[in-house]
Amino acid sequence: MSAPASIPVDPRRDGRRLALLLVATPFVLWILLIVVIPHVDLLLISLHEKVAPRVFKTGIRNYVEFFGEPVYVQALVRTVAMSLLATALTLVIAFPVAYYIAKLARGRARTALFMACLLPFWVSELVRVFGWMMILRETGLLSNLLIWAGITAGPVEFLYNDVVVMIGLVYTSLLFMVVPLISALDSLDDSLIEAGYDLGGNAVSILREVVVPHAMPGIVAGSIVVFMLTLGNYLTPTLLGGKSSQWFTAQIYTQFITRFNWEVGSAFGFVLLATSSLIVWIGLRLTGQSLSSTLGR
Amino acid sequence: MSIDLEVRTVSKRFGRFTAVHDVSLQVPKGSFFSILGPSGCGKTTLMRMIAGFEQPSAGDILINGASVLATPPNRRPVNMVFQHLALFPMMTVAGNVGYGLRRRGLPREDIARKVDAVLARVGLATAGPKRIDQLSGGQKQRVAIARCMVLEPTVLLLDEPLGALDLKLREHMKVELKQLQHQFGTTFVYITHDQSEALVMSDQVAVMNGGRFEQVGTPQDLYYRPSSAFVAGFVGDSQRWMATVTAADAGRLRVRTDSGLTIAATAAEGASIAVGARVEIFVRPEAIVLEPGGSPARSAEDGVNQFDGSVDSLLFNGAASRTLVTVAAAAAPGQRDTLAVALPAGLPTGGLAPGEAVRLRFPADRAIAFAAPSGAAPSGAAPSSAASETAS
């Protein structure tokens, strides 16, 4: 560089910068306007203590209120436990489905099966949940079928218990587990499975030592997505479980809408965010995976 | 000598397609047996049947004299080195090698001891804790073999394991595989489409084509006494002519090639060829002797072919150097033939230059004639086929 004063302008470099800017802008705006700014605002609100009408001071009393009231803590623990169970059940149900689609089905059967998994997701979650309600309510299809078959004397209410909430959550989450599992299992070379048999392995040992370790990134990715979706789900537990569901999101809803207590509601929201982040972190540590190796693929 | 592996009249049909047709073979204990054939000839299907991944449609497979058709692959005393090795990337080298021993439920100390011993035998004594992706191609190869050998199988199956390696390493691994087989003394069954791999390593080679065995024999048998035109063409390089028989006398033939040369040839063993029949003539490049053109013509003794020609080009390739010689047919002016001739190792390439007059001689018993398949298009002068086979 003999003449540092005149910096050569590379038009291609400018073009690339413009392209990057154009590509990144919607993403940055989305993150800023819908994720970052509201969260910062909520965080600030959650740190407001109401001392008198329209008079606030900064403090952590809203969080103290959460931990001081066993009902709230119980609701959170219960929600987390149910979500973990729902994630585990979804994994157990989705794994054979994904294995069949990825490894055993061929050609059109494979496409058809994948579409069968995808199809329910073309209607909204609300409609799907109402579908379950039509089947399971006291005057619904299942109840009437049992009466018609003479198995029960009168109508039976299947809604509003934990089992039905679990069914609804697993049903809602299945696709989000099946897709990452298929992509993980798809990349497993069939000859690895054959080599396992050739060296004396059986179905159980090959599953444990070859298939599951290979599919681990997919398993973890699917589990994270399903866990987050379940933990933050409001519709399914509320509609299928009713008042007895005690879902934590319903508590947040109550604070914001029924009690109009945004300060405590925001604090609850941040407790939920911290809890889910902590559990995902523990899950990654336990399975020896990292976020980039699972969701980043 | 005891027979480790026997295949009796095995056939395999997929729907209406017959992949393996009535194949029989016997592999003696401790020998290196190769199945050589072009891709799609059914050799992989045959091997998968021996390993137990496919069930034969007909016939029987015996290992140590007992039928294994009812035995699933994980209980057969046979292990397989897969085409792409199929090492488990989620385990260490020691984990891979110990996999089969763990399945047998051996105590942990025994597994560690056996794994160390076999890794030392394949020259990877310190590689146990390494990950698979830290190994080179040749090291992976050895781990794949060690993983099988640690189980002390009766028969080790190898499915084109050198296919993915580069040329230099492949040449090296050929020798190494043969040494490993000697060292372990295990029966190897090796499938390949590469004739040089089969010739270099094997005690016995079966040449397979279209689901059938064309010939089973030692590499020397296949090379010098091929029993079919397919074997003659597939194993080794050959100068090849389509020709018509003009005179026949108890296996000694006189033929006229489509390019106009008159050649004294010998009918292949067991082939009966009459005057007027269409034949394919095969001559190995090293059977042709190259002499300077000026040398005094020897009396055209019976049973020796002699052609005058000129050097077309020199294909230098070290010990495998070739000279392409153009021969003009006396009977058919304008027609010419190009023959690939092996350069004698002692002859410096500098002794020849393109355009130089040379004389070619080869004995009639090195020109083998096979009845041409009926309806085959005359391939005419086909020196290009010989050249392209050299390249592959």
Side-chain angles (χ1 to χ4, degrees):
Chain A
M1 284 293 154
S2 55
S6 69
I7 297 160
V9 178
D10 182 357
R12 276 192 316 171
R13 206 175 132 197
D14 279 4
R16 235 177 283 146
R17 267 193 190 165
L18 181 65
L20 184 69
L21 204 69
L22 285 174
V23 168
T25 303
F27 176 73
V28 169
L29 282 179
W30 187 61
I31 289 284
L32 265 181
L33 294 179
I34 301 182
V35 181
V36 176
I37 293 176
H39 272 84
V40 170
D41 197 30
L42 279 178
L43 183 66
L44 294 178
I45 293 176
S46 78
L47 292 170
H48 282 177
E49 289 176 14
K50 196 182 273 184
V51 286
R54 293 175 189 275
V55 182
F56 298 99
K57 74 181 178 76
T58 304
I60 56 161
R61 201 186 68 201
N62 298 322
Y63 292 94
V64 173
E65 189 173 324
F66 168 82
F67 289 103
E69 178 57 74
V71 172
Y72 298 147
V73 178
Q74 275 166 19
L76 180 65
V77 170
R78 186 183 137 80
T79 306
V80 168
M82 290 275 280
S83 298
L84 286 174
L85 181 62
T87 308
L89 284 175
T90 310
L91 176 62
V92 169
I93 294 169
F95 199 88
V97 174
Y99 190 85
Y100 189 87
I101 292 175
K103 289 278 125 199
L104 304 175
R106 292 274 173 272
R108 284 168 68 179
R110 188 187 156 115
T111 317
L113 284 170
F114 192 67
M115 284 306 289
C117 285
L118 190 67
L119 218 53
F121 290 81
W122 286 8
V123 296
S124 81
E125 188 182 355
L126 188 66
V127 176
R128 269 179 284 139
V129 171
F130 274 126
W132 277 109
M133 292 177 78
M134 287 173 72
I135 295 171
L136 297 173
R137 67 185 169 165
E138 205 170 355
T139 54
L141 285 173
L142 186 58
S143 180
N144 280 330
L145 188 73
L146 291 179
I147 294 168
W148 175 80
I151 296 170
T152 55
V156 185
E157 178 63 274
F158 291 99
L159 286 177
Y160 313 126
N161 57 58
D162 285 355
V163 175
V164 86
V165 170
M166 196 55 72
I167 291 174
L169 288 173
V170 169
Y171 176 75
T172 303
S173 313
L174 213 50
L175 182 75
F176 301 99
M177 189 66 93
V178 166
V179 169
L181 282 181
I182 287 178
S183 90
L185 289 171
D186 226 5
S187 64
L188 176 65
D189 189 353
D190 286 348
S191 70
L192 287 183
I193 297 170
E194 288 189 342
Y197 277 112
D198 186 65
L199 295 165
N202 54 33
V204 175
S205 72
I206 291 169
L207 185 71
R208 206 184 62 227
E209 293 204 40
V210 179
V211 179
V212 169
H214 179 88
M216 209 41 157
I219 291 173
V220 173
S223 298
I224 289 175
V225 171
V226 168
F227 177 73
M228 297 286 222
L229 284 175
T230 310
L231 196 66
N233 200 328
Y234 175 75
L235 259 178
T236 305
T238 310
L239 288 180
L240 293 180
K243 286 256 184 292
S244 67
S245 78
Q246 292 283 314
W247 214 251
F248 193 67
T249 47
Q251 300 283 351
I252 299 177
Y253 179 87
T254 307
Q255 293 296 337
F256 273 102
I257 306 299
T258 314
R259 298 199 177 172
F260 211 69
N261 190 344
W262 279 50
E263 292 73 27
V264 173
S266 307
F268 281 19
F270 272 91
V271 168
L272 185 64
L273 180 64
T275 310
S276 63
S277 305
L278 179 72
I279 287 171
V280 167
W281 180 76
I282 292 172
L284 287 171
R285 289 302 296 267
L286 285 180
T287 53
Q289 302 286 321
S290 69
L291 264 185
S292 59
S293 74
T294 54
L295 298 175
R297 291 204 316 164
Chain B
M1 192 182 288
S2 66
I3 300 298
D4 261 352
L5 169 69
E6 184 174 0
V7 172
R8 280 188 195 154
T9 60
V10 159
S11 295
K12 177 67 184 177
R13 286 179 288 276
F14 296 104
R16 292 175 61 191
F17 172 70
T18 304
V20 176
H21 194 104
D22 204 15
V23 159
S24 296
L25 62 86
Q26 289 194 331
V27 183
K29 192 172 192 60
S31 65
F32 198 120
F33 188 94
S34 289
I35 299 167
L36 170 66
S39 53
C41 73
K43 56 190 192 300
T44 298
T45 307
L46 178 59
M47 177 156 283
R48 290 175 62 81
M49 286 193 285
I50 297 171
F53 296 122
E54 306 275 358
Q55 278 293 320
S57 309
D60 201 356
I61 296 170
L62 297 93
I63 295 170
N64 287 330
S67 173
V68 293
L69 286 193
T71 313
N74 53 0
R75 301 205 189 287
R76 291 193 187 190
V78 164
N79 289 118
M80 186 156 168
V81 176
F82 287 78
Q83 188 159 14
H84 300 291
L85 305 181
L87 295 173
F88 303 127
M90 60 290 284
M91 301 177 199
T92 60
V93 169
N96 266 276
V97 177
Y99 178 86
L101 297 174
R102 290 202 299 280
R103 296 282 72 75
R104 288 183 182 176
L106 259 67
R108 193 178 297 236
E109 314 83 67
D110 288 10
I111 294 176
R113 191 166 41 75
K114 287 192 173 202
V115 167
D116 284 347
V118 79
L119 282 176
R121 287 183 79 173
V122 299
L124 291 170
T126 58
K130 282 192 180 169
R131 287 199 318 275
I132 295 302
D133 56 16
Q134 290 173 307
L135 302 181
S136 69
Q139 288 173 329
K140 283 182 191 164
Q141 191 85 54
R142 283 184 261 165
V143 171
I145 290 166
R147 185 174 74 169
C148 293
M149 297 314 298
V150 77
L151 299 174
E152 290 161 9
T154 307
V155 177
L156 181 68
L157 305 173
L158 300 104
D159 182 4
E160 302 202 33
L162 305 186
L165 304 180
D166 60 66
L167 184 69
K168 195 83 183 166
L169 190 54
R170 203 154 67 218
E171 293 299 318
H172 175 74
M173 286 307 295
K174 273 186 213 171
V175 181
E176 195 167 302
L177 262 181
K178 180 73 184 162
Q179 284 170 343
L180 280 173
Q181 192 256 336
H182 264 296
Q183 196 189 330
F184 285 106
T186 305
T187 309
F188 276 35
V189 175
Y190 187 94
I191 75 169
T192 181
H193 64 271
D194 183 323
Q195 45 102 4
S196 95
E197 283 176 18
L199 294 183
V200 167
M201 293 190 282
S202 314
D203 300 311
Q204 291 265 306
V205 181
V207 180
M208 199 170 181
N209 184 32
R212 295 163 202 267
F213 277 177
E214 293 267 341
Q215 185 175 4
V216 183
T218 63
Q220 291 82 356
D221 280 343
L222 299 181
Y223 195 81
Y224 293 113
R225 289 175 291 284
S227 67
S228 70
F230 177 81
V231 175
F234 196 74
V235 178
D237 299 329
S238 286
Q239 182 64 45
R240 191 193 300 211
W241 288 280
M242 290 297 292
T244 308
V245 179
T246 54
D249 171 27
R252 297 173 75 85
L253 308 176
R254 188 152 283 278
V255 303
R256 190 179 153 82
T257 69
D258 293 351
S259 56
L261 295 177
T262 301
I263 297 176
T266 310
E269 269 175 61
S272 60
I273 296 169
V275 174
R278 296 285 291 155
V279 290
E280 267 187 280
I281 307 289
F282 291 87
V283 181
R284 298 288 182 200
E286 72 274 11
I288 305 174
V289 178
L290 192 71
E291 290 172 349
S295 60
R298 292 192 209 171
S299 58
E301 44 196 300
D302 198 30
V304 175
N305 295 291
Q306 188 166 305
F307 301 106
D308 287 318
S310 62
V311 174
D312 180 76
S313 51
L314 297 164
L315 308 175
F316 181 73
N317 184 19
S321 297
R322 297 284 157 83
T323 313
L324 293 185
V325 177
T326 307
V327 173
Q335 289 251 44
R336 14 180 74 224
D337 246 339
T338 307
L339 279 71
V341 182
L343 263 184
L347 197 71
T349 331
L352 288 170
E356 201 166 317
V358 289
R359 179 170 297 142
L360 303 179
R361 292 158 58 86
F362 56 91
D365 56 3
R366 299 297 301 274
I368 304 170
F370 295 96
S374 52
S379 56
S384 59
S385 69
S388 64
E389 271 163 30
T390 319
S392 64

